């Protein structure tokens, strides 16, 4: 899929915005520049990240190690977003009022679909959904789930903070702030304000949601660390094999 991102990215853009011919030319050029930068600079960083993750699997991990990998992954995402910022800002300043309404309507529709899918779930249903999803993830990476690991996952799903409502409220708050900033796209401070907003979305978290997200993050890191103490040799070999496949893919993509 990576080699088709120059087609995929504009395809998804169409869900939110109809571009004029001039804007489409700007966007296509920006996409190619961005993808060239990404292949040249970022794939090697991803490879190093996965290599470090693979090396850490030789022995059980600590919660602090897992949290560090979380931080490193977030740094890679921030790097991607920061590089794309000039292109995003450049396109933003070209938007018409009609296009702004189009974006807002598409974002509203996204939130409506999420509320339909997740907002009406009971707490029990949500925990069951997350538990089954975690079973599937662990099974994919380890090749199987032992009874001991299933018990760890079950306890995690039963004790984590339910953040569904906070997350849905945040999505709507994000939409409102994003549209409000776009309405000021011709102001002197627009580029700085929009950059800060997109690079630091947690700034608009409600206090209770922020605390719950932080607690769940630490909790998940501890669960991953706990799971790593239970890996049997067959599972550890399976995990190493899966990570090796990603490393090979990244090497191939980087050299193409």
């Amino acid at each position: 899929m990576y080699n088709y991102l120059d087609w995929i990215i504009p395809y998804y853009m169409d869900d939110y915005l109809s571009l004029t011919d001039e804007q489409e030319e700007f966007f296509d050029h920006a996409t190619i520049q961005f993808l060239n930068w990404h292949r040249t600079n970022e794939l090697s960083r991803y490879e190093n990240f996965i290599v470090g993750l693979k090396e850490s699997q030789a022995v059980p991990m600590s919660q602090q190690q897992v949290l560090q990998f979380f931080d490193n992954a977030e740094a890679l995402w921030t790097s991607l977003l920061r590089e794309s910022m000039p292109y995003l800002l450049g396109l933003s300043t070209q938007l018409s009022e009609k296009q702004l309404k189009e974006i807002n309507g598409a974002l509203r529709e996204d939130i409506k679909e999420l509320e339909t899918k997740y907002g009406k779930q009971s707490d029990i249903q949500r925990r069951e959904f997350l538990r089954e999803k975690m079973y599937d993830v662990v099974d994919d990476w380890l090749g199987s789930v032992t009874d001991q690991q299933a018990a760890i996952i079950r306890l995690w799903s039963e004790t984590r903070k339910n953040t569904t409502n906070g997350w849905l409220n945040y999505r709507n708050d994000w939409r409102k702030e994003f549209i409000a900033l776009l309405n000021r796209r011709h102001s002197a401070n627009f580029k700085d304000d929009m950059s800060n907003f997109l690079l630091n979305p947690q700034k608009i978290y409600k206090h209770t949601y922020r605390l719950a997200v932080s607690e769940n993050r630490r909790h998940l890191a501890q669960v991953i660390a706990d799971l790593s103490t239970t890996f049997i040799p067959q599972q550890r070999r399976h995990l190493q094999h899966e990570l090796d496949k990603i490393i090979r893919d990244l090497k191939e993509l980087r050299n193409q």
Side-chain angles (χ1 to χ4, degrees), residues 13 20 31 52 73 102 108 129 157 185 191 204 208 238 244:
M13 171 66 88
T20 66
T31 300
E102 188 179 1
R108 283 181 184 273
F129 170 79
S157 69
R185 61 194 178 280
K191 290 186 176 181
I204 64 169
T208 53
H238 186 92
D244 278 335

Side-chain angles (χ1 to χ4, degrees), residues 2-3 36 38-44 47 246-256:
Y2 186 83
N3 287 326
N36 286 340
H38 192 269
R39 189 187 296 269
T40 302
N41 294 278
E42 297 301 277
L43 292 185
S44 59
E47 183 183 336
I246 296 176
I247 293 169
R248 287 197 301 271
D249 286 345
L250 289 168
K251 285 182 182 293
E252 285 185 20
L253 289 170
R254 183 161 50 85
N255 292 326
Q256 284 174 359

Side-chain angles (χ1 to χ4, degrees), residues 3-121:
N3 287 326
Y4 295 96
L5 284 175
D6 59 331
W7 175 81
I8 294 171
I9 292 173
Y11 175 82
Y12 279 103
M13 171 66 88
D14 287 342
D15 291 342
Y16 296 91
L17 179 62
S18 300
L19 298 175
T20 66
D21 290 344
E22 185 179 355
Q23 290 168 343
E24 191 168 337
E25 183 178 352
F26 171 87
F27 187 73
D28 289 345
H29 179 69
T31 300
I32 295 300
Q33 285 190 305
F34 174 75
L35 292 176
N36 286 340
W37 164 83
H38 192 269
R39 189 187 296 269
T40 302
N41 294 278
E42 297 301 277
L43 292 185
S44 59
R45 296 180 66 197
Y46 296 174
E47 183 183 336
N48 291 336
F49 176 84
I50 301 298
V51 168
L53 189 59
K54 178 189 172 186
E55 291 173 350
S56 74
Q57 300 306 311
V59 295
M61 301 176 71
S62 68
Q63 182 195 41
Q64 193 55 46
Q65 277 182 293
V66 179
L67 287 171
Q68 185 60 59
F69 277 113
F70 285 176
D71 288 342
N72 293 345
E74 289 169 5
L76 291 172
W77 166 251
T78 300
S79 174
L80 185 152
L81 191 56
R82 194 181 301 279
E83 180 67 21
S84 68
M85 198 63 62
Y87 308 123
L88 294 173
L89 296 174
L91 182 61
S92 296
T93 58
Q94 300 175 31
L95 298 177
S96 67
E97 290 299 320
K98 181 181 178 181
Q99 289 175 315
L100 219 58
K101 291 179 180 179
E102 188 179 1
I103 295 171
N104 195 24
L107 292 174
R108 283 181 184 273
E109 190 62 31
D110 279 354
I111 293 169
K112 184 178 179 181
E113 290 179 7
L114 291 172
E115 288 174 342
T116 300
K117 185 174 182 180
Y118 299 114
K120 296 180 181 179
Q121 287 182 331

Side-chain angles (χ1 to χ4, degrees), residues 154-167:
R154 189 179 307 111
L155 180 61
W156 164 77
S157 69
E158 292 171 353
T159 54
R160 73 180 299 278
K161 296 284 187 182
N162 189 335
T163 57
T164 302
N165 290 336
W167 171 64

Side-chain angles (χ1 to χ4, degrees), residues 31 93-95 131 166 185 190 195 209-210 223 229 245 251 254:
T31 300
T93 58
Q94 300 175 31
L95 298 177
R131 181 165 62 249
R185 61 194 178 280
F190 167 70
S195 294
Y209 180 59
R210 185 193 305 276
V223 168
T229 68
K245 287 196 297 184
K251 285 182 182 293
R254 183 161 50 85

